[in-house]
Amino acid sequence: MSYKTLKQKIDKKKANMCVIGLGYVGLPLAVEFAKGGFNVVGIDTDKDRVNNIKNSIPYILDVPISEINKVVRGKKFIPTTDFSCLKDADVVIICVPTPLKRKNQPDISYILSAVKQIAKYLHRDQLVILESTTYPGTTDEVILPALEKKGLVCGEDFFLAFSPERIDPGNEKYPFRKIPKVVGGITKKSTDLVKSLYLKVIVKVVPVTSARVAETVKLLENTFRLINIGFINELAMMCEKMNIDIWEVVSAADTKPFGFMPFYPGPGVGGHCIPDDPLYLYWKAKHHGFISKFIKLASDTNLNMPSYIVERVGNIVSARGVSLGKAKILVLGATYKKDVKDLRRSPALDIIDLLQKKAGSVSYSDPLIPYLKFKSINLKSKALSAKVLAGFDCAIVAAAHSTFDYKLIQRHSKAIFDTRNVFKGLKSQNIFRI
């Protein structure tokens, strides 16, 4: 009766839910289910995050604080650091980080820590879902044995599945509820339960035959982007050698109504997903004796873009009579993405770090990031003005925030290296493009 009991609870929105990890994935998910009528407990080991939620302090811009306050005041969403609430949970969703160790080795320690707590409180009629991006086989090779040690059987006593997160920070067109959800269970009943659950808050759910397929779907999505961005960055460097405008090339190619999808060059890739996730697939493939040359090449190409940009900037200032070692450089935008307050793996940070070692001085301006304190970087954002801009030998557009006054920047900068094509179509002696 375990499956029927849980299915009824889900269908009636009576299933108690626990979301482990209240970051960029877990918090939007927890709030969406709470808004949908479920009772949700959000667990995070970071006391500051829990206190921020309780004190109405926003730390993830994609979730309006008004929505968080509403479900917290209505007792539909309770944030906590206490894992003992798992004993009352019907559904547990794991949304913890999965970074990389040295030599591109996956770090699933956060997953293992969460699973250890779940196993401690595991009971009949419980559904466990992993959303954290990981390598194929994690759900059935690692999580399943850890949970079955207690003597309960997956598919009979409890249920286990993988459903990859597809959060895109700052994307207003596709918020959480509008992004189709892929689900793959260890058993068919597990898949059916996860499908029923997500259909309560998401417009479309796509079931696949196994957790391994679902794990690989996520890696394919991000690897597709990594490789295409790596390719277009390589092509941009090639076109620069031949004095060809890569932006014009891509724009013209995009007029083809079939067989082409535009990707654009830039300073590299940021966020968690694209820089790291494909390397999970690369690592797993190596364990099966297969070397994915495309993944490694694309990753290396993208990682090299900050160095390439610094080299180009050095050439620009040298042509104007100033060596890079004496040049004053301003980096415009520190985040990895336009209009998103997110510094995760931002290539702008790598550019600043390199410039600190090679340039005379480096500063930055970012309306979203008032100060930077990261590794060797300890800087405050500069407010832009004609006088400030004129004081630098070159400005680098690293993140194309909408709030920048680009007319002011173009008018008063001695030289601009535009990595985002914000000055599209504008021909000026002080503008240089990637």
Side-chain angles (χ1 to χ4, degrees):
M1 293 296 290
S2 182
Y3 170 80
K4 288 185 178 180
T5 301
L6 189 50
K7 180 75 163 54
Q8 287 173 356
K9 284 185 176 181
I10 289 171
D11 288 342
K12 294 178 181 179
K13 298 185 178 180
K14 298 295 184 183
N16 293 320
M17 298 184 61
C18 271
V19 176
I20 302 177
L22 298 176
Y24 287 85
V25 176
L27 183 61
L29 184 144
V31 171
E32 203 64 43
F33 273 107
K35 285 165 55 182
F38 288 87
N39 292 319
V40 184
V41 175
I43 307 174
D44 203 297
T45 56
D46 187 335
K47 292 180 181 179
D48 288 338
R49 279 184 176 176
V50 172
N51 288 332
N52 284 343
I53 293 170
K54 291 179 178 179
N55 296 319
S56 301
I57 300 173
Y59 62 94
I60 292 176
L61 297 181
D62 279 358
V63 189
I65 197 65
S66 58
E67 291 187 2
I68 297 174
N69 290 340
K70 186 175 180 180
V71 291
V72 170
R73 283 196 301 264
K75 302 280 175 76
K76 301 303 290 184
F77 176 44
I78 300 172
T80 183
T81 58
D82 185 5
F83 281 88
S84 66
C85 61
L86 289 168
K87 66 179 183 295
D88 299 316
D90 301 301
V91 177
V92 183
I93 305 179
I94 304 169
C95 301
V96 296
T98 49
L100 284 173
K101 297 179 184 177
R102 293 180 63 186
K103 297 182 179 180
N104 300 325
Q105 183 179 356
D107 180 1
I108 63 167
S109 60
Y110 294 97
I111 293 177
L112 295 175
S113 179
V115 170
K116 184 178 179 181
Q117 293 289 344
I118 296 168
K120 184 177 176 181
Y121 298 103
L122 188 69
H123 57 77
R124 287 177 58 86
D125 303 346
Q126 195 170 44
L127 171 63
V128 179
I129 307 165
L130 176 63
E131 283 220 3
S132 305
T133 305
T134 186
Y135 59 83
T138 303
T139 307
D140 59 353
E141 293 174 4
V142 178
I143 299 178
L144 179 60
L147 296 181
E148 286 193 328
K149 279 183 179 179
K150 198 170 182 178
L152 298 178
V153 178
C154 181
E156 295 179 14
D157 302 313
F158 74 95
F159 305 90
L160 176 62
F162 181 82
S163 180
E165 60 88 3
R166 279 175 163 173
I167 297 290
D168 186 16
N171 192 330
E172 295 180 3
K173 184 178 179 181
Y174 292 107
F176 175 83
R177 66 185 179 278
K178 289 186 178 180
I179 303 172
K181 204 82 168 73
V182 172
V183 300
I186 295 298
T187 63
K188 186 179 183 305
K189 287 183 177 179
S190 298
T191 302
D192 292 343
L193 285 171
V194 181
K195 180 181 178 181
S196 296
L197 177 72
Y198 282 118
L199 279 174
K200 300 296 181 290
V201 294
I202 290 176
V203 293
K204 184 179 181 180
V205 175
V206 182
V208 294
T209 54
S210 69
R212 283 174 179 253
V213 170
E215 289 162 341
T216 310
V217 166
K218 171 64 175 178
L219 297 179
L220 169 61
E221 293 168 3
N222 289 337
T223 302
F224 172 81
R225 292 184 65 192
L226 176 85
I227 289 174
N228 280 283
I229 293 169
F231 168 66
I232 205 67
N233 277 333
E234 182 179 74
L235 194 63
M237 290 186 279
M238 184 194 309
C239 283
E240 190 268 329
K241 295 291 185 185
M242 296 186 286
N243 197 28
I244 296 170
D245 185 345
I246 183 63
W247 301 97
E248 185 180 0
V249 171
V250 175
S251 179
D254 193 30
T255 61
K256 186 180 180 181
F258 56 90
F260 182 80
M261 179 182 293
F263 283 82
Y264 302 96
V269 290
H272 164 70
C273 291
I274 306 217
D276 289 354
D277 293 353
L279 294 171
Y280 270 63
L281 188 58
Y282 176 80
W283 177 85
K284 185 65 174 181
K286 280 181 69 176
H287 278 251
H288 286 269
F290 185 86
I291 304 297
S292 175
K293 296 176 184 177
F294 279 104
I295 293 176
K296 190 65 169 63
L297 179 60
S299 178
D300 290 345
T301 300
N302 291 325
L303 287 172
N304 185 57
M305 289 307 292
S307 295
Y308 171 73
I309 287 165
V310 171
E311 180 185 341
R312 288 281 306 276
V313 169
N315 294 337
I316 291 167
V317 295
S318 293
R320 290 169 171 248
V322 183
S323 68
L324 182 59
K326 293 182 179 179
K328 294 180 179 180
I329 309 298
L330 176 66
V331 176
L332 299 172
T335 63
Y336 87 88
K337 192 175 183 181
K338 173 183 176 180
D339 298 337
V340 174
K341 189 179 179 179
D342 193 340
L343 293 171
R344 290 178 299 170
R345 299 296 299 275
S346 173
L349 300 181
D350 293 324
I351 292 169
I352 293 171
D353 184 55
L354 285 168
L355 287 170
Q356 283 187 330
K357 298 169 185 174
K358 297 186 175 185
S361 68
V362 58
S363 301
Y364 86 99
S365 179
D366 192 313
L368 301 178
I369 310 293
Y371 64 89
L372 275 177
K373 200 166 186 179
F374 180 76
K375 294 183 179 179
S376 64
I377 303 170
N378 190 355
L379 299 169
K380 287 185 178 180
S381 175
K382 285 193 173 292
L384 297 185
S385 67
K387 184 178 179 180
V388 167
L389 289 163
F392 290 93
D393 296 295
C394 186
I396 303 171
V397 180
H401 295 316
S402 300
T403 49
F404 280 138
D405 185 341
Y406 292 106
K407 287 184 178 180
L408 178 78
I409 293 167
Q410 191 274 324
R411 211 175 282 135
H412 298 284
S413 297
K414 294 175 184 174
I416 302 166
F417 189 68
D418 183 3
T419 75
R420 300 293 188 177
N421 203 27
V422 294
F423 295 103
K424 179 180 179 181
L426 181 62
K427 292 185 178 181
S428 174
Q429 290 186 344
N430 71 336
I431 296 176
F432 303 84
R433 294 180 178 83
I434 200 168

